Amino acid sequence: MMLNHLNEINDVEIHSVFSDEFKSFGSIITGYDFSELIAYMEKETPIPESGNIYVPSVEGLESCGVFDEIQSAIYGGMPIQIGYCNGRNTTYNGFEYHKGSELNIAVTDFMLVLGHMWQIENNQFTVGNETVFFVPKGTAIEMFQTTLHLSPCRTCDEGFKDIVVLPRGTNTPLEKKPEAKCPEDRLLLQKNKWVIAHPEREPLIKQGAVAGLIGENKELKY
């Protein structure tokens, strides 16, 4: 079993997303047919040879029939976008959060490193307070807006594929970054995207992310 294997080779405990530990971070989504989205991902979206690729909005995904069901029911009629994150990531790198839930639909197995917004102090999060979850292929989850997260981590050499649903406009460039009037304002990096990065995560730091993940930039083994 993959979860047992991951726990045997890693020095942090990895929980099932179906366990009670996940309940304060999000919920499992059932009752919807995501097969058309998954089929598009398997056929049309590549896994890069290194790093990750994230695309906020993909016409081919948003033209699938379940788009209207997600928008009208899960998001209560609010406008959404469906994109994806594919890659080969294995390290924590940092955290982000949004004002509004994020849905993830696992096209492949992957792991997620999660935290809570209230664990951020002085725009910092200390490694050791996170919780790691295994998300098996075919699982759909909602992550609450108070849940800190970033890219999935792979569980095999080929990498991972993840469908990402968010309020429309999330993770797109800001027209203008507002003046920081409180500490949280400094974390705003893109539209509806607040970020703290590990100092070693140069791509995020170069974008202007606050170097607020304190401790080792841990790597998850697979």
Side-chain angles (χ1 to χ4, degrees):
M1 184 179 177
M2 178 61 75
L3 181 58
N4 291 337
H5 168 71
L6 294 172
N7 273 301
E8 286 172 0
I9 62 175
N10 283 284
D11 61 359
V12 296
E13 184 174 5
I14 299 168
H15 301 273
S16 167
V17 78
F18 294 96
S19 67
D20 287 343
E21 283 81 4
F22 186 64
K23 290 181 177 178
S24 64
F25 297 97
S27 62
I28 306 296
I29 300 295
T30 60
Y32 294 85
D33 182 0
F34 298 119
S35 58
E36 189 179 3
L37 294 174
I38 292 171
Y40 180 93
M41 287 286 295
E42 290 175 336
K43 182 180 180 181
E44 301 293 341
T45 67
I47 296 174
E49 293 191 7
S50 63
N52 296 337
I53 180 172
Y54 171 69
V55 183
S57 176
V58 177
E59 184 178 355
L61 292 170
E62 294 174 356
S63 64
C64 292
V66 75
F67 176 88
D68 288 337
E69 296 178 21
I70 297 171
Q71 183 166 262
S72 62
I74 298 176
Y75 280 86
M78 295 295 289
I80 64 167
Q81 63 192 28
I82 303 182
Y84 68 88
C85 182
N86 294 351
R88 300 177 184 269
N89 180 54
T90 57
T91 49
Y92 284 15
N93 292 327
F95 287 114
E96 68 178 10
Y97 61 92
H98 317 289
K99 303 298 175 75
S101 291
E102 175 176 322
L103 267 59
N104 285 252
I105 303 165
V107 181
T108 65
D109 292 347
F110 54 71
M111 292 177 280
L112 287 173
V113 182
L114 305 181
H116 293 296
M117 282 179 63
W118 55 83
Q119 293 173 301
I120 297 176
E121 296 183 5
N122 300 316
N123 284 347
Q124 295 180 333
F125 183 101
T126 302
V127 173
N129 291 324
E130 74 285 348
T131 308
V132 183
F133 291 94
F134 171 65
V135 185
K137 177 181 178 178
T139 305
I141 63 171
E142 174 185 0
M143 290 192 295
F144 304 144
Q145 73 170 25
T146 52
T147 296
L148 306 175
H149 59 280
L150 203 60
S151 161
C153 293
R154 62 178 166 169
T155 60
C156 66
D157 287 340
E158 289 75 19
F160 66 85
K161 289 189 175 186
D162 178 26
I163 298 166
V164 181
V165 185
L166 281 161
R168 182 157 291 279
T170 299
N171 293 334
T172 62
L174 293 162
E175 281 84 18
K176 181 181 179 182
K177 188 166 183 176
E179 177 187 354
K181 296 186 176 181
C182 69
E184 184 189 37
D185 294 347
R186 295 186 57 237
L187 304 182
L188 184 64
L189 193 63
Q190 292 184 308
K191 287 183 179 179
N192 196 26
K193 179 187 181 83
W194 290 260
V195 177
I196 57 174
H198 192 277
E200 295 176 359
R201 185 58 178 168
E202 292 185 6
L204 286 175
I205 298 298
K206 287 180 179 178
Q207 290 177 45
V210 171
L213 184 59
I214 307 303
E216 178 187 0
N217 189 18
K218 291 185 69 67
E219 182 171 17
L220 292 173
K221 299 176 182 178
Y222 60 89

